[in-house]
Amino acid sequence: EAMSKTYGRLEWPDLFQAGIQLAKQGFVLDEETAMMIEHAFKDFPDQAKAIYGKNGRPLRKGERLFQEDLADSLRLISEEGAKALYGGSLGKAIDREMKRSGGFLSLEDLVNNKAEWWEPIHITYRDCEVYTASPPSTAFPSLLRLGIMNQFDVRRLGHNSPEFLHRFIEVTKHVFWCRLRYAGDPEVSPPPLDYLLSEKYWKEQASKIDLHKAKPFVYPGLKESDSQQTTHFVVADSWGNIVSATQTLGNLFGSRIMPEGTGIWLNNSLSYCTFEPKGNPMDAHPGRRKLSGDCPTIIVHNGKPWAALGTPGGHTIGQTVPQMVMNLIDFGLDVQEALASPRVSFIEPDTIAVEEAIGKDIIKKLKTLGHKLRLVKRPGGLGNAHALLIEYDKDGQPLRFRGASDPRGHGLALGY
């Protein structure tokens, strides 16, 4: 609501009509979504089983999912605005469910919640400016990876060559360490971005990479959990305004708690907290902001937004995004190729996930360099990105939009 009031032009109720219609009329489940429901169904509360099930069993591929309660909740927000949740009937339903399930989130917490604006952070990469979310998002490692890779002649190394991938893997392991070491609430323990995003630091770290051998990952803190229920979308209008947004429910169906009558799942970001031993940057503390692992990204070229992209994928997000950025800027791939191209990702404690499409010869070479690999096959893969590019005419006005949806998922690129 705060974004709509500040930047929006459409009437508030109109924003919800398509969502209400889809929730009410339902949609046919694909195989992947049906498998997710089947996996989590036993943990659903009764009211959710009635929505996501039929005759006491989970809905199956080809059956239609109707969400009448969710349609009613969206209609309520369209009529009453944010107050429907922050103090209104939806908030009261959450408050009741929290009391019933032993949670501590209260109606007072919801009433006191306020939207916050944060300036984005950015670096210069080649002839572009790459922008992403600032802390409390932990998106800064994406820029750090690009900064260190900027010290190499990436084009000469070749797209997804063993030489390129070895450097990126070694860089991404170090940056993963930085995320665990430095991520924090910007008003309590802010990461030292002036230092981490400096040319001096990038050159220093690039010089430490052994070009002929993989180094083991030295662990500074605690393991992070993966995220399985994250969505990313990008939108542009005819004037060239861009939104790049990442939204997460946490793990599969979040906390699997649904306040009765709402159709709304509550997330479970607290599952990434460990508290003992101390030092996990994802721990939540009273009066502090909870960190998030999203990395929505906008690339500016010649002073104008040129590309917007992002992906779900938990701890792989900040590794997938820079690979797509390099695909676009360094290797000149079109937007669909940039998303579809095979990826790698560091997985704790010391494994590299490699999509099988990288190729047998390259995988063999990476193994000889000492990398411990885990092959990832499609369907699925690393991430499920969406992206768009904007072309401009000679007067600097948007001329053409090109969108792309990751073949690893079931997304959509659509103009209307």
Side-chain angles (χ1 to χ4, degrees):
E1 185 182 61
M3 290 182 69
S4 180
K5 287 180 177 178
T6 306
Y7 297 108
R9 297 182 61 173
L10 299 180
E11 293 297 323
W12 176 258
D14 295 342
L15 304 177
F16 292 84
Q17 296 313 307
I20 292 170
Q21 184 177 10
L22 183 60
K24 189 172 183 178
Q25 295 183 353
F27 64 93
V28 176
L29 294 176
D30 58 37
E31 183 176 9
E32 183 178 357
T33 307
M35 288 175 60
M36 290 180 179
I37 294 172
E38 182 180 17
H39 177 78
F41 192 76
K42 66 181 186 301
D43 297 325
F44 286 1
D46 290 342
Q47 67 268 24
K49 287 181 177 178
I51 297 170
Y52 290 85
K54 183 178 181 180
N55 299 325
R57 49 92 176 160
L59 291 176
R60 297 167 181 158
K61 175 186 175 182
E63 294 183 324
R64 187 172 288 269
L65 171 62
F66 298 95
Q67 300 176 88
E68 292 279 356
D69 287 349
L70 180 60
D72 290 341
S73 293
L74 292 174
R75 186 178 298 106
L76 191 65
I77 297 171
S78 75
E79 295 169 353
E80 299 182 7
K83 66 181 181 181
L85 179 65
Y86 300 105
S89 58
L90 292 180
K92 291 175 182 175
I94 292 174
D95 183 72
R96 287 193 298 271
E97 186 61 34
M98 286 293 100
K99 288 182 171 64
R100 189 198 65 79
S101 60
F104 55 81
L105 182 67
S106 69
L107 186 63
E108 183 182 6
D109 293 320
L110 294 173
V111 170
N112 291 333
N113 188 57
K114 298 291 184 294
E116 293 184 310
W117 272 199
W118 297 85
E119 288 297 318
I121 56 176
H122 76 284
I123 65 166
T124 300
Y125 184 77
R126 312 304 183 197
D127 59 348
C128 296
E129 299 294 318
V130 182
Y131 286 81
T132 191
S134 58
S137 166
T138 56
F140 71 87
S142 175
L143 300 184
L144 180 49
R145 289 182 175 95
L146 287 172
I148 300 175
M149 289 301 295
N150 204 15
Q151 309 310 303
F152 303 109
D153 188 344
V154 171
R155 290 190 186 93
R156 183 186 61 80
L157 292 172
H159 179 251
N160 277 355
S161 68
E163 295 77 18
F164 166 79
L165 291 173
H166 173 68
R167 286 165 173 79
F168 180 75
I169 290 169
E170 293 301 286
V171 166
T172 209
K173 285 194 292 189
H174 169 71
V175 175
F176 199 91
W177 182 94
C178 290
R179 183 189 184 206
L180 293 174
R181 171 64 179 83
Y182 294 116
D185 186 322
E187 292 185 355
V188 178
S189 55
L193 296 185
D194 289 344
Y195 170 61
L196 294 175
L197 301 183
S198 68
E199 194 80 26
K200 179 182 178 181
Y201 185 77
W202 300 339
K203 289 181 178 178
E204 176 185 302
Q205 295 307 316
S207 69
K208 294 180 179 179
I209 292 176
D210 187 332
L211 301 182
H212 307 288
K213 184 180 179 182
K215 292 182 179 179
F217 180 69
V218 180
Y219 203 55
L222 298 164
K223 276 192 177 183
E224 288 192 32
S225 300
D226 195 5
S227 177
Q228 300 172 304
Q229 206 90 96
T230 304
T231 303
H232 186 88
F233 62 86
V234 290
V235 183
D237 64 18
S238 59
W239 297 277
N241 298 306
I242 289 180
V243 171
S244 183
T246 309
Q247 186 75 6
T248 187
L249 192 57
N251 289 334
L252 203 58
F253 295 97
S255 61
R256 303 180 187 177
I257 291 176
M258 178 184 286
E260 192 163 2
T262 68
I264 298 171
W265 291 110
L266 304 184
N267 76 44
N268 71 330
S269 290
L270 284 174
S271 70
Y272 309 138
C273 304
T274 50
F275 301 112
E276 294 295 340
K278 296 179 180 179
N280 180 3
M282 300 305 288
D283 284 349
H285 298 279
R288 299 188 192 178
R289 293 170 181 82
K290 183 73 172 68
L291 303 188
S292 62
D294 45 358
C295 189
T297 298
I298 294 176
I299 304 173
V300 174
H301 183 58
N302 292 331
K304 291 185 176 296
W306 171 60
L309 52 92
T311 183
H315 66 272
T316 70
I317 292 174
Q319 305 177 58
T320 296
V321 167
Q323 290 177 81
M324 295 189 293
V325 171
M326 289 185 285
N327 286 344
L328 290 170
I329 296 176
D330 291 303
F331 302 115
L333 302 186
D334 69 37
V335 65
Q336 186 61 55
E337 291 175 329
L339 268 62
S341 181
R343 301 167 184 152
V344 299
S345 183
F346 170 69
I347 307 291
E348 296 173 84
D350 199 17
T351 302
I352 307 302
V354 179
E355 292 187 334
E356 196 174 35
I358 287 281
K360 292 181 180 179
D361 291 342
I362 294 174
I363 290 172
K364 182 178 179 181
K365 177 63 175 177
L366 291 176
K367 287 181 178 179
T368 64
L369 292 169
H371 295 290
K372 301 173 184 177
L373 305 183
R374 187 181 81 193
L375 295 186
V376 178
K377 300 180 181 181
R378 292 185 182 175
L382 299 173
N384 181 19
H386 286 83
L388 63 82
L389 296 182
I390 302 179
E391 298 176 13
Y392 296 88
D393 62 22
K394 58 183 177 58
D395 297 320
Q397 298 301 311
L399 177 65
R400 185 178 296 108
F401 299 85
R402 288 184 289 157
S405 176
D406 201 321
R408 295 165 181 83
H410 298 278
L412 177 68
L414 178 69
Y416 64 96

